Amino acid sequence: MSELSTAPELIASNKCFGGWLKRYKHQSASTGTEMVFAIYLPPQAQSKPVPVLYWLSGLTCTDENFTQKAGAQRLAAELGMAIVCPDTSPRGTDHPGEHDSYDFGSAAGFYVNATQAPWAENYRMYDYVVDELPTLIEENFPVTDQRSISGHSMGGHGALICALKNPGRYQSVSAFAPISNPINCPWGEKALGGYLGDDRESWKAWDSCELIATASERLPLLVDQGEADNFLSEQLKPEALKQACEAAGHPLELRMQPGYDHSYFFIATFIGDHLEHHAKALGLK
């Protein structure tokens, strides 16, 4: 057992497509709070370790949105892929203003390491997702150290920056409707300003479009974006991601999906393509 976290304590368990969907809680060293995560273990995990896809959810979400709405377990069971879903922020800290808006504070950790008081004490979701949680998972569950990462909206932003900032750590990356250029959109400016302070130069370390320019690993990006997404033009800015990838020669498959919005109906429609994308990189296909 690592010194980073307390051992995970089971709080719920459901059999699903021959495997098990389980929820756990543990005390986190990164956030200084109790954290909850979900893990789907496919039937293959009963006889051998399996690789893991980490899924990062978006604003207002918990670990349960993906597990209950995406419909990913059937194909994950066929492929032999575990899926881990962390929460989107620390809970129970009750900092001033923490619960006042949906796009900052609780359920809106933005997958960064905060540097500003009072957020710096607990809002270290980047460290939690990249280091602490995988260590906990790999020490306590029948999984390998082969990892992939994906996410939606704020979580799509999280997946992209985690992969871009950590060459060699993930076998593959994908995103649904990611906040592609947070230093230049209202959601990102609010979150990065609040967690990191007024120095906009420091924000660039958490922006996919900025990171792509100097990335030392050219991991192909698979991105799905609904054309009927209400947040498309103001918040998500896939055109900025496309431009950054073209300028740097970074491989990007950006699929603009006519008629689809920002919801889990959109995610459920295309999640199979993303699982197949990760399965190939993880050696499952």
Side-chain angles (χ1 to χ4, degrees):
M1 184 63 230
S2 168
E3 295 179 359
L4 287 174
S5 309
T6 60
E9 178 183 341
L10 182 67
I11 55 178
S13 181
N14 300 94
K15 193 162 189 181
C16 186
F17 296 106
W20 289 92
L21 176 62
K22 300 186 177 186
R23 295 185 79 211
Y24 289 87
K25 63 182 180 180
H26 73 107
Q27 190 67 26
S28 166
S30 300
T31 69
T33 65
E34 184 176 86
M35 294 294 291
V36 173
F37 66 87
I39 181 169
Y40 178 69
L41 292 167
Q44 294 87 341
Q46 298 172 30
S47 57
K48 64 178 182 180
V50 297
V52 182
L53 172 65
Y54 288 85
W55 174 269
L56 306 184
S57 289
L59 293 167
T60 76
C61 291
T62 69
D63 63 286
E64 293 189 292
N65 295 73
F66 180 83
T67 60
Q68 295 179 3
K69 296 179 179 180
Q73 291 92 337
R74 181 194 294 273
L75 185 53
E78 295 175 7
L79 294 169
M81 177 190 299
I83 303 177
V84 171
C85 305
D87 203 347
T88 50
S89 79
R91 305 284 178 169
T93 54
D94 291 329
H95 295 303
E98 186 173 14
H99 314 304
D100 290 355
S101 59
Y102 79 96
D103 55 358
F104 186 81
S106 54
F110 234 77
Y111 305 105
V112 302
N113 287 338
T115 59
Q116 301 299 298
W119 314 105
E121 181 180 357
N122 308 110
Y123 277 69
R124 303 188 64 80
M125 289 299 295
Y126 175 79
D127 280 354
Y128 180 73
V129 165
V130 172
D131 295 318
E132 182 177 3
L133 184 59
T135 298
L136 185 77
I137 296 296
E138 290 162 21
E139 290 183 352
N140 289 278
F141 297 95
V143 301
T144 70
D145 62 358
Q146 296 293 289
R147 314 172 198 93
S148 292
I149 192 164
S150 186
H152 171 230
S153 195
M154 177 184 73
H157 143 79
L160 294 177
I161 64 167
C162 287
L164 289 164
K165 289 167 75 71
N166 294 278
R169 188 156 185 79
Y170 302 100
Q171 303 304 117
S172 53
V173 58
S174 73
F176 288 82
I179 303 172
S180 298
N181 192 200
I183 66 173
N184 289 315
C185 76
W187 278 342
E189 290 171 345
K190 181 175 181 177
L192 298 177
Y195 295 134
L196 305 176
D198 295 333
D199 178 12
R200 296 180 70 98
E201 193 67 25
S202 70
W203 300 3
K204 292 181 179 180
W206 307 98
D207 185 291
S208 298
C209 293
E210 297 290 333
L211 293 169
I212 282 167
T214 58
S216 61
E217 178 184 48
R218 296 300 178 189
L219 207 58
L221 310 182
L222 171 61
V223 175
D224 271 309
Q225 173 63 61
E227 290 186 353
D229 190 320
N230 290 338
F231 306 112
L232 176 57
S233 59
E234 183 180 27
Q235 303 284 11
L236 305 177
K237 302 187 180 297
E239 70 283 354
L241 183 66
K242 182 179 180 180
Q243 291 169 5
C245 286
E246 288 176 347
H250 196 110
L252 167 68
E253 183 178 4
L254 173 61
R255 309 194 310 181
M256 300 300 296
Q257 304 290 2
Y260 286 91
D261 58 18
H262 200 69
S263 73
Y264 265 84
F265 296 109
F266 161 57
I267 295 170
T269 302
F270 299 105
I271 191 62
D273 293 347
H274 286 243
L275 293 188
E276 295 279 0
H277 168 77
H278 296 298
K280 290 175 184 176
L282 292 167
L284 297 174
K285 297 283 289 184

